[in-house]
Coordinates of all heavy atoms in Angstrom, one line a residue:
S115 N 2.7 1.4 18.3 CA 1.7 2.4 18.5 C 0.3 1.8 18.8 O -0.6 2.5 19.1 CB 1.6 3.3 17.3 OG 1.2 2.6 16.2
G116 N 0.2 0.5 18.6 CA -1.1 -0.1 18.9 C -1.8 -0.5 17.7 O -2.0 -1.7 17.4
S117 N -2.3 0.5 16.9 CA -3.1 0.2 15.7 C -2.6 1.0 14.5 O -2.0 2.1 14.7 CB -4.6 0.5 15.9 OG -5.1 -0.3 16.9
G118 N -2.8 0.5 13.3 CA -2.5 1.3 12.1 C -1.0 1.4 11.8 O -0.2 0.7 12.3
L119 N -0.7 2.2 10.8 CA 0.6 2.4 10.3 C 1.1 3.8 10.6 O 0.3 4.7 10.9 CB 0.6 2.2 8.8 CG 0.2 0.8 8.3 CD1 0.2 0.7 6.8 CD2 1.2 -0.3 8.9
A120 N 2.4 4.0 10.6 CA 3.0 5.3 10.9 C 3.2 6.0 9.5 O 3.2 5.4 8.5 CB 4.4 5.1 11.5
R121 N 3.4 7.4 9.6 CA 3.7 8.2 8.4 C 5.0 7.8 7.9 O 5.9 7.4 8.7 CB 3.6 9.6 8.8 CG 2.3 10.1 9.2 CD 2.3 11.6 9.4 NE 2.2 12.3 8.1 CZ 1.4 13.3 7.8 NH1 0.6 13.8 8.7 NH2 1.4 13.8 6.6
V122 N 5.2 7.9 6.6 CA 6.5 7.6 6.0 C 7.0 8.8 5.2 O 6.2 9.5 4.6 CB 6.2 6.4 4.9 CG1 7.5 6.1 4.1 CG2 5.8 5.2 5.7
Q123 N 8.3 9.0 5.2 CA 8.9 10.0 4.4 C 8.8 9.6 3.0 O 9.3 8.6 2.5 CB 10.4 10.1 4.8 CG 11.1 11.3 4.2 CD 10.8 12.6 4.9 OE1 10.1 12.6 6.0 NE2 11.2 13.7 4.4
T124 N 8.1 10.4 2.2 CA 7.8 10.1 0.8 C 8.9 10.6 -0.1 O 9.1 11.8 -0.2 CB 6.4 10.7 0.4 OG1 5.4 10.3 1.3 CG2 6.0 10.3 -1.0
P125 N 9.5 9.7 -0.9 CA 10.6 10.2 -1.8 C 10.0 11.0 -3.0 O 8.8 10.9 -3.3 CB 11.2 8.9 -2.4 CG 10.7 7.8 -1.4 CD 9.4 8.3 -0.9
S126 N 10.8 11.8 -3.7 CA 10.4 12.5 -4.8 C 9.9 11.5 -5.9 O 10.4 10.5 -6.1 CB 11.5 13.3 -5.4 OG 11.2 14.1 -6.5
G127 N 8.8 11.9 -6.6 CA 8.2 11.1 -7.6 C 7.4 9.9 -7.1 O 7.0 9.0 -7.9
T128 N 7.0 10.0 -5.9 CA 6.3 8.9 -5.2 C 4.9 9.3 -4.6 O 4.8 10.4 -4.1 CB 7.1 8.2 -4.1 OG1 8.4 7.8 -4.7 CG2 6.4 7.1 -3.5
L129 N 3.9 8.5 -4.7 CA 2.7 8.7 -4.0 C 2.4 7.4 -3.2 O 2.6 6.3 -3.6 CB 1.5 8.8 -5.1 CG 0.1 9.1 -4.5 CD1 -0.7 9.9 -5.4 CD2 -0.6 7.8 -4.2
I130 N 2.2 7.7 -1.9 CA 1.9 6.6 -1.0 C 0.5 6.8 -0.5 O 0.1 7.9 0.0 CB 2.8 6.6 0.2 CG1 4.3 6.4 -0.2 CG2 2.5 5.4 1.2 CD1 5.3 6.5 0.9
A131 N -0.4 5.8 -0.7 CA -1.8 5.9 -0.3 C -2.1 4.9 0.8 O -1.7 3.7 0.7 CB -2.7 5.7 -1.6
Y132 N -2.8 5.4 1.8 CA -3.1 4.5 2.9 C -4.7 4.4 3.0 O -5.4 5.4 2.8 CB -2.7 5.2 4.2 CG -1.2 5.4 4.3 CD1 -0.6 6.5 3.8 CD2 -0.4 4.5 5.0 CE1 0.8 6.7 3.9 CE2 1.0 4.7 5.1 CZ 1.6 5.8 4.6 OH 2.9 6.0 4.7
S133 N -5.1 3.2 3.4 CA -6.6 3.0 3.4 C -7.2 3.7 4.6 O -8.5 3.9 4.6 CB -6.9 1.5 3.5 OG -6.3 0.9 4.6

Side-chain angles (χ1 to χ4, degrees):
S115 66
S117 296
L119 299 176
R121 295 185 77 133
V122 174
Q123 190 76 6
T124 307
S126 180
T128 301
L129 182 148
I130 303 176
Y132 300 83
S133 59

